Amino acid sequence: MSTPTDAPVGNSPYADSSGSFRRQGPRFADRIVAEPDGEGQWPAEPGRYRLVVSLACPWAHRSLIVRRLMGLEDAISLAIVDPLQDDRSWRFTLDEDGVDPVLRYRYLEEAYLARDPDHGTENGVSVPALVEESTGLLVTNDYPQITIDLGIEWAKYQRLGAPTLYPEGLREEIDAVNEGVFHDVNNGVYKAGFATKQARYEEAYTALFARLDELDERLEGRRYLVGDHITEADIRLFTTLVRFDAVYHGHFKCNRQKLAEFTNLWPYARDLYQTPGFGDTVDFDHIKRHYHQVHTSINPTQIVPLGPEPSVWLEPHHREELGGSPFGADGTPPEPLDGPLRPLPPLDM
């Protein structure tokens, strides 16, 4: 995800002349695969690549969850950027001396420029990004494909008991669910939040809640969106849901109701949050600071709200009564994390 920084009040850098939000697609769509057989394909090799993410970004959060579910922590190293950005976008200011210890970069933009010297910040510097450690070259920022490939192409290096997130027999249904979720929910909250015309905002708002109502109904008698265990569809929806009440409800004006007021989506989201690999990769501090302090066109005071209370995510959900299992019949959970991924210093007073 690449987001606007320090935009003038009343103007969205991502809105077109009609007032509609427009998302840039991934420009670097190379793939890391088990057996490369053509241009734009890189070999899946442990220790070769570094995954760069923001804990604030829902698109990057997907890759963090999949890396953890697959047990690829030792195969692919992890870099976490500052949730705040400047005019060069994502930066490594959380690391000692503001330099990533592996890539030796101060800005993720440097990996983009190493790949394409003509690539400017105006073309987007987005996370997640996979970077070759030895050369510092950006390999791919193709966020939809990254998670699928982590689940399939890295099979040789995955942990025992890793789930199958994109099973062949369910791919058509998963793709159909993902298509609607992407346009109306994942991207829909941005369409509402960055719209600069009332009509465009209302269109996005209406489509968002129509889709959420449909998903709420779909989840009434089933634990997961597709099949009887977690798939790509659940991961892609979760990263928006977990940010909904903390950010999108107020900051992006998606305020018909809170996630916590949905009959089925709310316990479904809590079920996922309480599943290893999901809640332990969520950082509400990073999330709230990024949206409320970077999007100055929406929140010029940069005040970061204190709520909601994160402990509500740990309340019983009772979704296990619907059957199914998170990791499939033969799957197991990943090992617990040692602690928070990247704590932030206190907010300046």
Side-chain angles (χ1 to χ4, degrees), residues 205 209 212-213 215-217 241 244-246 249-250 254-270 308 312-313 315:
Y205 176 103
F209 282 102
L212 290 176
D213 286 341
L215 293 165
D216 194 62
E217 182 178 352
L241 295 184
F244 200 89
D245 288 0
H249 178 269
C254 300
N255 60 354
R256 191 195 77 179
Q257 69 194 91
K258 296 177 179 178
L259 173 65
E261 295 166 348
F262 278 91
T263 302
N264 300 305
L265 277 170
W266 174 226
Y268 161 80
R270 296 202 311 278
V312 297
W313 284 90
E315 293 177 355

Side-chain angles (χ1 to χ4, degrees), residues 78-91:
L78 180 67
I80 297 174
V81 295
D82 195 315
L84 304 185
Q85 300 164 285
D86 60 22
D87 58 359
R88 290 186 65 182
S89 193
W90 300 109
R91 52 191 186 164

Side-chain angles (χ1 to χ4, degrees), residues 223 317-324:
R223 189 172 179 183
H317 53 75
H318 306 295
R319 295 282 294 179
E320 67 277 359
E321 296 171 8
L322 294 172

Side-chain angles (χ1 to χ4, degrees), residues 280-292:
D280 53 18
T281 59
V282 173
D283 193 305
F284 288 113
D285 196 8
H286 278 248
I287 290 167
K288 290 192 293 184
R289 291 201 204 187
H290 172 75
Y291 283 92
H292 291 287

Side-chain angles (χ1 to χ4, degrees), residues 46-232:
R48 181 166 178 173
Y49 307 102
R50 191 156 176 81
L51 176 64
V52 183
V53 304
S54 163
L55 300 183
C57 171
W59 316 94
H61 191 182
R62 300 173 177 183
S63 61
L64 191 59
I65 291 172
V66 175
R67 173 180 176 268
R68 177 144 162 66
L69 293 180
M70 297 296 103
L72 293 171
E73 290 94 332
D74 291 337
I76 303 171
S77 68
L78 180 67
I80 297 174
V81 295
D82 195 315
L84 304 185
Q85 300 164 285
D86 60 22
D87 58 359
R88 290 186 65 182
S89 193
W90 300 109
R91 52 191 186 164
F92 295 105
T93 43
L94 301 182
D95 291 298
E96 186 176 356
D97 297 326
V99 176
D100 179 83
V102 173
L103 301 175
R104 309 308 302 171
Y105 288 151
R106 291 186 178 276
Y107 290 89
L108 177 58
E109 179 193 34
E110 295 173 70
Y112 280 73
L113 292 173
R115 175 70 184 274
D116 177 6
D118 295 325
H119 184 88
T121 306
E122 69 277 4
N123 294 316
V125 176
S126 66
V127 287
L130 278 163
V131 181
E132 187 176 39
E133 292 187 1
S134 61
T135 63
L137 292 172
L138 176 77
V139 176
T140 178
N141 68 339
D142 190 351
Y143 60 91
Q145 192 64 47
I146 285 174
T147 54
I148 290 175
D149 286 344
L150 288 177
I152 296 173
E153 301 295 335
W154 288 80
K156 183 178 177 180
Y157 309 105
Q158 292 167 6
R159 66 179 180 86
L160 193 65
T164 302
L165 299 176
Y166 196 51
E168 290 191 29
L170 296 177
R171 288 180 187 178
E172 185 174 348
E173 186 177 1
I174 291 171
D175 290 346
V177 170
N178 286 346
E179 182 76 6
V181 166
F182 170 77
H183 289 291
D184 298 334
V185 181
N186 300 146
N187 205 37
V189 294
Y190 287 86
K191 292 178 185 177
F194 287 121
T196 57
K197 299 286 179 64
Q198 184 69 29
R200 302 291 84 77
Y201 160 72
E202 292 184 8
E203 288 170 1
Y205 176 103
T206 300
L208 166 67
F209 282 102
R211 184 69 64 182
L212 290 176
D213 286 341
E214 176 188 297
L215 293 165
D216 194 62
E217 182 178 352
R218 180 184 182 93
L219 289 164
E220 182 174 1
R222 59 197 305 165
R223 189 172 179 183
Y224 302 108
L225 286 174
V226 182
D228 60 1
H229 68 276
I230 290 164
T231 67
E232 273 277 335

